Amino acid sequence: MRTLAMVVAPVLAGASYLLLIPWDLRNRPEHPGELIETTPVRTWAVIVFVLVLLVLGAWLGRAGVPPWQAVPLVAGVPSALLLASYLTHHAPDANPWPLAWVCFTLLMAGAALLAAFAGRVSAR
């Protein structure tokens, strides 16, 4: 069970990122010629993505994977995909992406760590 969880979790985390989060994360004008911009990221997609990461972290914790090992398994692939997205879409003005990548990676890692701890505790 533990080996299966360690193989499947990164695949599911990466697949959920690819399915739920758009590749190009830059803001866009709501209508052509408008100054007001909107994000391509949908709230429901972020909520589902977070729930998937939490479930995967808890599953790894219940499977006996130490929480510090669950972090790269759950957050590693989405973090790498997010970095690739940021690096392939350059901002025309100030570039907030490096800071955003660090913040979102820490959030994903923290969620995976907490979920893995919770899964480990509930397995006892």
Side-chain angles (χ1 to χ4, degrees), residues 2 5 9 17 19 27 33 44 55 60-61 75 81 87 100 104 117 121-122:
R2 180 178 175 180
Y17 178 89
L19 289 172
N27 290 344
W44 67 267
V55 167
L60 287 171
L81 290 170
L87 292 176
F104 290 130
F117 270 121
V121 168
S122 71

Side-chain angles (χ1 to χ4, degrees), residues 13-93:
S16 66
Y17 178 89
L18 289 173
L19 289 172
L20 297 168
I21 308 298
W23 185 249
D24 185 358
L25 295 167
R26 291 178 293 183
N27 290 344
R28 294 167 176 74
E30 199 167 326
H31 302 288
E34 253 189 48
L35 294 177
I36 298 173
E37 292 183 340
T38 184
T39 178
V41 181
R42 302 288 175 236
T43 304
W44 67 267
V46 173
I47 291 169
V48 171
F49 178 64
V50 168
L51 290 175
V52 168
L53 293 185
L54 290 173
V55 167
L56 289 173
W59 181 42
L60 287 171
R62 283 189 65 78
V65 176
W68 54 88
Q69 286 181 355
V71 170
L73 293 173
V74 174
V77 174
S79 177
L81 290 170
L82 181 64
L83 180 61
S85 172
Y86 285 162
L87 292 176
T88 56
H89 299 99
H90 298 288
D93 49 0

